[in-house]
């Protein structure tokens, strides 16, 4: 009998492979970093062949580590960095250009022009997204416009486009299957999230031939079998989802109102809104979720640009700390921040403030402010920024959050999670398995092949490691939130004043 499900977690800085058993427990994993290319300021690329080779090598490494062969693997699921764009020749399999990574800003001018021409509303209505260079559409257009001969070849039907899931599915199946899933499609800014089709008007707007686009399938679906030259014995490729949607699924947020927050370099919050798309009045985006059946659901998504990154900044630039983990003990060494608030608006402020020009701001410094106060203010900013996004979601949906499931590197910090519970006034729950992104992909693949049979079975696997309940007095909490709001205003106000004067 097959023993395990394999998840391929293709992230921005590394490729990973994790093997899970029926209980959703990790039984083996391997990880490999790969090279980042910065050909010009603000540009970010990956080599698609290196994405593939690193993914293959971690697959083999994880299998060797656990002592399983392809025969023991019930299915394979993929989760991936979203929006990153690859265009390749369908005959030779050779990419015509490097992968343009989601972070790459090279097409922001193209997006500014579309906004100026009045396309924002139409794009929002159809795709649920706020026009941005982040999404795949303008990146595909850039490749077709800048790589010699690419447009002609694309029009002749010789080129394929894919996000990373699609590229891996195509490589794994030996070039047999050109497909993606709903969640990845919903991040391209070319997919109509209501009709669940590539949108012909958007394809025309970006001048992208429809024949390049992958077929769009459910996230839990038998895409195909791995080719003999890849794994010897074929493995079923049976799941795919973008990283954030995969984590939502891995956290078992299957129903409306359920929400997860991933505390990594940034924070990513997703709230399941069920079978109804919710249009945000607060600058959040609407996106498709991974489901166990043929129909995807909807979620609201909000992100915090600088979360764990502020802790890296304390360590690498200010040299105030030696390690991220040390912040927990430093925060506990003082009863509070002594009135200091730190807004890490290094790249502007996101939802719900949306001020691109805002910059990092600290208020409330006194002669008595210590390193511990300063570090604590930086750490607390993760919780305040999360609160801002949660409040925006609550207002958009008209209901309040009952609990927040958390994962990501910084969710290891108990101080952050306790403070988060206090500020949000709801419970914050950390599962035993915080590798929820990979777990989600494994679940999607395992469900498609009957390794797991129901969502209840998956829920039973979700085990609480620790729950944080609010304990802070309401008065104190409200005073802190007031302080944060003032600090946020200062971050925006300073930017405006500075611009006015310069
Ligand atoms: P990503 O996937 O975005 O690279 P991870 O989920 O691996 O991020 O989390 C890494 C981030 O979490 C880093 O920014 C780091 O500063 C922060 N971090 C890791 N451990 C802790 C900790 N114990 N306390 C606070 N922050 C932490």
């Amino acid at each position: 009998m097959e023993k395990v499900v394999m998840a391929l977690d293709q992230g921005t800085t590394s490729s990973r492979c994790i093997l899970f058993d029926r209980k959703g427990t990790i039984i083996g994993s391997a990880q490999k970093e790969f090279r980042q290319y910065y050909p010009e300021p603000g540009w970010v690329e990956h080599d698609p062949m290196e994405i593939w080779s690193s993914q293959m090598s971690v697959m083999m490494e994880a299998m060797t580590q656990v002592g399983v062969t392809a025969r023991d693997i019930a299915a394979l699921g993929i989760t991936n960095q979203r929006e990153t764009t690859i265009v390749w020749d369908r005959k030779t399999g050779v990419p015509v250009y490097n992968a343009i990574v989601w972070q790459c800003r090279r097409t922001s001018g193209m997006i500014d022009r579309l906004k100026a021409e009045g396309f924002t509303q139409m794009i929002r209505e159809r795709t649920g997204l706020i026009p941005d260079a982040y999404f795949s559409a303008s990146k595909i257009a850039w490749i077709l416009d800048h790589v010699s001969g690419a447009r002609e070849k694309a029009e002749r039907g010789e080129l394929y486009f894919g996000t990373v899931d699609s590229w891996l599915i195509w490589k794994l199946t030996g070039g047999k299957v050109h497909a993606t899933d709903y969640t990845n499609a919903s991040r391209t800014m070319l997919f109509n999230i209501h009709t669940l089709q590539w949108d012909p008007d958007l394809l025309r707007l970006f001048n992208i031939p429809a024949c390049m686009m992958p077929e769009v399938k459910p996230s839990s679906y038998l895409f195909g079998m791995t080719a003999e030259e890849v794994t010897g014995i074929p493995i079923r490729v049976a799941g795919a989802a973008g990283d954030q949607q995969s984590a939502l699924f891995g956290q078992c947020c299957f129903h409306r109102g359920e929400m997860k927050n991933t505390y990594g370099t940034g924070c990513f919050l997703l709230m399941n809104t069920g079978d109804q798309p919710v249009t945000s009045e607060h600058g959040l985006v609407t996106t498709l979720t991974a489901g166990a059946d043929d129909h995807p659901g909807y979620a609201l998504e909000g992100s915090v640009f600088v979360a764990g990154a502020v802790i890296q900044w304390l360590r690498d630039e200010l040299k105030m700390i030696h390690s991220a983990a040390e912040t927990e003990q430093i925060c506990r060494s003082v009863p509070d921040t002594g009135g200091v608030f730190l807004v890490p608006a290094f790249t502007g402020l996101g939802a719900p403030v949306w001020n691109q020009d805002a910059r990092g701001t600290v208020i409330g410094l006194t002669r008595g402010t210590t390193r511990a106060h300063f570090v604590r203010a930086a750490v607390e900013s993760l919780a305040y920024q999360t609160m801002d996004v949660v409040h925006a979601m609550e207002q958009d949906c008209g209901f309040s959050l009952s609990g927040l499931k958390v994962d990501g590197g910084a969710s290891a910090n108990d101080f952050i999670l306790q403070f988060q519970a206090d500020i949000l006034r709801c419970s914050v729950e950390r599962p035993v398995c915080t590798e929820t992104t990979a777990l989600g992909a494994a679940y999607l693949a395992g469900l498609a092949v009957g390794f797991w049979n129901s969502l209840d079975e998956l829920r039973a696997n979700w085990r609480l490691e620790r729950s944080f309940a609010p304990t802070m007095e309401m008065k104190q909490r409200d005073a802190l939130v007031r302080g944060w709001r003032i600090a946020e205003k200062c971050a925006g106000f300073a930017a405006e004043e500075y611009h006015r004067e310069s």
Side-chain angles (χ1 to χ4, degrees):
M1 201 164 87
E2 291 139 338
K3 290 182 282 206
V4 297
V5 173
M6 175 184 272
L8 303 184
D9 182 355
Q10 207 302 305
T12 309
T13 55
S14 71
S15 296
R16 302 202 303 156
C17 174
I18 302 188
L19 297 169
F20 291 94
D21 68 10
R22 217 172 283 271
K23 290 251 166 265
T25 306
I26 295 175
I27 56 166
S29 70
Q31 175 165 4
K32 195 173 162 97
E33 289 197 5
F34 55 85
R35 204 165 148 192
Q36 310 286 315
Y37 295 86
Y38 306 105
E40 289 192 28
W43 292 28
V44 191
E45 296 178 2
H46 294 156
D47 175 352
M49 289 318 227
E50 202 186 342
I51 288 180
W52 168 241
S53 61
S54 58
Q55 199 62 74
M56 278 291 287
S57 88
V58 291
M59 264 171 83
M60 298 310 154
E61 199 184 322
M63 284 163 70
T64 312
Q65 191 190 91
V66 178
V68 294
T69 68
R71 222 186 292 278
D72 302 311
I73 296 168
L76 170 169
I78 297 167
T79 181
N80 56 290
Q81 51 167 322
R82 302 178 300 174
E83 297 104 13
T84 296
T85 298
I86 304 175
V87 175
W88 68 94
D89 184 308
R90 56 182 285 192
K91 281 222 178 66
T92 64
V94 178
V96 301
Y97 192 78
N98 266 347
I100 303 187
V101 179
W102 57 275
Q103 297 152 321
C104 185
R105 304 305 302 168
R106 81 183 65 190
T107 54
S108 53
M110 192 189 307
I111 298 294
D112 288 342
R113 279 194 297 282
L114 288 177
K115 283 183 177 167
E117 287 164 18
F119 287 103
T120 302
Q121 194 56 23
M122 177 255 206
I123 291 175
R124 277 212 80 182
E125 275 168 17
R126 299 195 188 184
T127 68
L129 304 173
I130 297 166
D132 199 282
Y134 189 79
F135 306 110
S136 316
S138 61
K139 300 182 195 294
I140 309 174
W142 190 94
I143 292 177
L144 296 184
D145 288 341
H146 291 83
V147 176
S148 159
R151 180 164 299 286
E152 295 72 31
K153 278 179 113 177
E155 274 160 10
R156 287 199 301 268
E158 294 170 18
L159 299 186
Y160 277 158
F161 150 74
T163 39
V164 172
D165 57 309
S166 203
W167 169 243
L168 292 178
I169 291 171
W170 193 80
K171 292 294 284 177
L172 285 164
T173 59
K176 282 217 177 67
V177 181
H178 182 222
T180 187
D181 86 302
Y182 285 124
T183 66
N184 276 295
S186 77
R187 310 296 297 183
T188 58
M189 216 164 75
L190 295 167
F191 195 67
N192 188 315
I193 60 168
H194 309 286
T195 63
L196 302 181
Q197 308 277 345
W198 296 117
D199 191 290
D201 297 331
L202 288 171
L203 288 171
R204 214 169 298 123
L205 182 64
F206 286 95
N207 205 5
I208 296 170
C211 57
M212 293 180 77
M213 305 307 284
E215 268 190 81
V216 188
K217 302 290 186 189
S219 305
S220 180
Y221 177 81
L222 186 56
F223 286 90
M225 308 297 285
T226 58
E228 206 183 308
E229 67 268 23
V230 176
T231 52
I233 298 159
I235 303 174
R236 291 178 283 195
V237 181
D243 52 11
Q244 298 308 321
Q245 284 95 335
S246 190
L248 189 71
F249 199 78
Q251 284 276 25
C252 299
C253 294
F254 304 136
H255 296 301
R256 182 172 172 268
E258 291 183 311
M259 179 171 176
K260 69 92 196 172
N261 188 21
T262 301
Y263 295 84
T265 310
C267 280
F268 284 94
L269 287 102
L270 264 76
M271 181 193 261
N272 191 327
T273 62
D275 54 12
Q276 290 305 317
V278 173
T279 303
S280 175
E281 302 288 331
H282 301 91
L284 306 171
V285 302
T286 311
T287 197
L288 293 174
T289 57
D293 52 25
D294 291 351
H295 258 267
Y298 295 90
L300 272 178
E301 175 170 333
S303 41
V304 169
F305 305 138
V306 177
V310 74
I311 292 161
Q312 291 168 356
W313 174 72
L314 292 179
R315 187 192 61 195
D316 302 339
E317 264 69 47
L318 301 193
K319 319 266 186 228
M320 256 191 200
I321 55 170
H322 297 292
S323 72
E326 179 195 1
T327 58
E328 180 161 349
Q329 173 257 322
I330 297 174
C331 290
R332 290 190 200 285
S333 73
V334 282
D336 52 40
T337 66
V340 177
F341 291 90
L342 189 156
V343 186
F346 301 152
T347 54
L349 279 169
V353 179
W354 288 107
N355 184 341
Q356 283 201 62
D357 301 320
R359 286 297 174 266
T361 299
V362 185
I363 66 163
L365 296 176
T366 67
R367 181 64 182 77
T369 301
T370 64
R371 174 180 84 117
H373 291 127
F374 195 92
V375 168
R376 181 162 167 154
V379 169
E380 287 185 354
S381 76
L382 272 67
Y384 289 123
Q385 294 183 94
T386 296
M387 170 195 73
D388 281 338
V389 178
V390 168
H391 285 172
M393 286 183 174
E394 287 177 335
Q395 283 169 22
D396 282 330
C397 296
F399 53 78
S400 35
L401 185 70
S402 54
L404 180 67
K405 290 176 170 173
V406 301
D407 49 50
S411 75
N413 187 316
D414 290 353
F415 172 82
I416 296 180
L417 299 191
Q418 181 57 51
F419 191 74
Q420 187 72 78
D422 285 332
I423 290 298
L424 278 178
R425 300 211 60 74
C426 77
S427 74
V428 170
E429 296 174 342
R430 182 173 59 203
V432 172
C433 176
T434 52
E435 294 294 351
T436 51
T437 305
L439 183 60
Y443 279 165
L444 290 164
L447 281 169
V449 301
F451 185 78
W452 289 291
N453 293 303
S454 70
L455 295 181
D456 286 342
E457 228 177 297
L458 307 185
R459 244 187 229 290
N461 280 350
W462 193 94
R463 274 177 303 129
L464 183 70
E465 188 264 326
R466 185 159 172 199
S467 173
F468 298 81
T471 55
M472 191 185 283
E473 279 193 26
M474 197 64 175
K475 229 171 108 189
Q476 189 189 353
R477 179 260 177 203
D478 290 349
L480 289 174
V481 172
R482 259 200 320 279
W484 169 254
R485 297 247 177 278
I486 293 166
E488 257 180 334
K489 269 203 198 115
C490 291
F493 172 75
E496 279 162 32
E497 283 298 295
Y498 184 75
H499 276 283
R500 210 190 335 264
E501 284 175 18
S502 55

